[in-house]
Amino acid sequence: MGRRALKSYLKYGYIPLEDEVRDAFHTNEQVSRTLEYAYDDFCVAQMAKALGKTEDYQALMKRSENWRNVLNPQTEYVDGRYADGRFQNETSPFEKQKFITEGAPCHYTWYVPQNPQGLIEAMGGKESFVSKLDSMFTEGRYWHGNEPCHQVAYMFNYAGEPWRTQKYVRHILDTEYLDDAGGLSGNDDAGQMSAWLLFSYMGFYPVCPATPYYMIGSPVFPKLTINLENGKAFTIIAENASSENIYIQRATFNGQPYTHNYLLHEDIMKGGELHFVMGKEPNPAWGRE
């Protein structure tokens, strides 16, 4: 990172549009870099907290909010900024830009897995957030071949509309993973394409692995058992699951009603049975929390 870019990042929390990171493989793409650094800072903050490094934790958590510096309040999409702080406001958020890694601003806007509720608020609230998120699919903007999009379908859970997550996760499974030579829509970088597939088939996904939460999607297998390293077993039953019955109607966890649209890592590790009843029509009342 150049001296001027580093100085600006430390002071403002973003790399200005004019600067390049010449030692990096991707030399421009400052907005994507700012978003990814913010997530990285959050992850390291959790380690600092576990080690009792309170000052480091607080400093890193503050830096993890630097994503706010590249969210343009006029468009409610991420955007490039000049060194003087002005948003460039010159290009479409739906077209590829040099300050975004292999994509458009609309692809990277959702890259705030460490604080989705903050992103919802910054984008004008749930209605605006869901509208823009839904347009990723209805307007053909979603790009599964670029891994920073992989949390997009699961982001509806945070806005209390998990039925949309169920709908679009199944759509991706049906259209982006094919049984032929070109079956993957993008390179399987570090195994991420395959990891998304396996998690989504099971019915949950770690949107932010630095937290103990897994977002629930649409389980595919009628019955699946995970044999845990502690000797226990976690079983997921998706009653009536089929290519048509993709929506969760109700659920129980160890026999008790379960209404959350997420799973806790500690609950999985305790073992037990999560039982879903699936149906053809969405049930907007389930999993709103």
Side-chain angles (χ1 to χ4, degrees):
M1 183 182 293
R3 181 180 300 176
R4 183 165 174 264
L6 177 61
K7 183 178 180 181
S8 294
Y9 178 71
L10 293 175
K11 183 176 181 180
Y12 300 111
Y14 60 87
I15 301 170
L17 195 62
E18 294 95 338
D19 279 334
E20 296 182 348
V21 182
R22 297 179 182 178
D23 293 334
F25 179 78
H26 297 283
T27 56
N28 292 306
E29 305 167 2
Q30 301 92 330
V31 171
S32 295
R33 187 170 286 110
T34 297
L35 291 163
E36 292 184 3
Y37 286 174
Y39 171 66
D40 293 345
D41 287 336
F42 177 86
C43 294
V44 180
Q46 308 317 302
M47 182 179 294
K49 183 179 182 180
L51 294 171
K53 305 291 185 179
T54 303
E55 291 186 9
D56 290 342
Y57 168 75
Q58 293 174 344
L60 287 162
M61 285 299 290
K62 182 178 180 180
R63 282 170 40 169
S64 76
E65 290 295 292
N66 283 340
W67 59 270
R68 296 179 183 273
N69 295 320
V70 292
L71 187 69
N72 189 330
Q74 287 187 304
T75 65
E76 294 177 349
Y77 286 99
V78 296
D79 196 3
R81 296 183 75 169
Y82 294 106
D84 62 5
R86 289 179 297 118
F87 281 100
Q88 55 105 23
N89 281 321
E90 298 165 359
T91 54
S92 169
F94 313 124
E95 298 175 358
K96 289 186 177 181
Q97 306 298 339
K98 66 180 182 179
F99 50 80
I100 294 291
T101 302
E102 300 176 0
C106 65
H107 297 131
Y108 253 92
T109 294
W110 318 102
Y111 199 82
V112 189
Q114 72 275 22
N115 189 3
Q117 294 301 329
L119 180 62
I120 290 173
E121 179 183 353
M123 292 183 71
K126 288 185 178 181
E127 185 175 346
S128 176
F129 176 87
V130 169
S131 176
K132 286 182 169 61
L133 192 58
D134 200 60
S135 74
M136 292 291 289
F137 300 94
T138 59
E139 300 296 327
R141 295 168 184 156
Y142 182 75
W143 183 14
H144 196 71
N146 197 24
E147 287 86 352
C149 274
H150 279 193
Q151 79 280 7
V152 168
Y154 285 93
M155 297 293 278
F156 291 105
N157 280 22
Y158 297 102
E161 297 201 11
W163 70 269
R164 294 183 191 268
T165 285
Q166 296 154 33
K167 174 183 177 179
Y168 292 124
V169 165
R170 281 298 190 99
H171 172 74
I172 295 167
L173 288 172
D174 290 341
T175 60
E176 300 286 354
Y177 294 90
L178 307 178
D179 187 18
D180 58 36
L184 287 180
S185 58
N187 295 332
D188 201 4
D189 296 337
Q192 170 57 23
M193 283 286 172
S194 299
W196 193 96
L197 175 69
L198 293 175
F199 270 113
S200 295
Y201 267 139
M202 289 191 292
F204 59 95
Y205 183 74
V207 170
C208 184
T211 66
Y213 299 97
Y214 299 87
M215 293 297 108
I216 292 175
S218 177
V220 173
F221 299 115
K223 185 176 181 179
L224 169 74
T225 298
I226 304 171
N227 295 312
L228 304 167
E229 61 184 359
N230 59 10
K232 297 181 180 181
F234 184 74
T235 299
I236 300 171
I237 294 175
E239 183 180 336
N240 301 327
S242 69
S243 59
E244 294 183 338
N245 295 334
I246 66 173
Y247 296 106
I248 297 171
Q249 305 301 301
R250 58 187 181 275
T252 58
F253 186 41
N254 291 333
Q256 299 299 314
Y258 195 80
T259 59
H260 300 303
N261 59 38
Y262 60 84
L263 296 173
L264 288 172
H265 181 76
E266 63 183 73
D267 288 338
I268 294 176
M269 295 306 294
K270 291 176 183 176
E273 181 181 284
L274 180 61
H275 189 134
F276 296 106
V277 176
M278 311 297 291
K280 292 183 181 180
E281 300 297 328
N283 179 11
W286 183 85
R288 295 186 64 86
E289 56 182 11

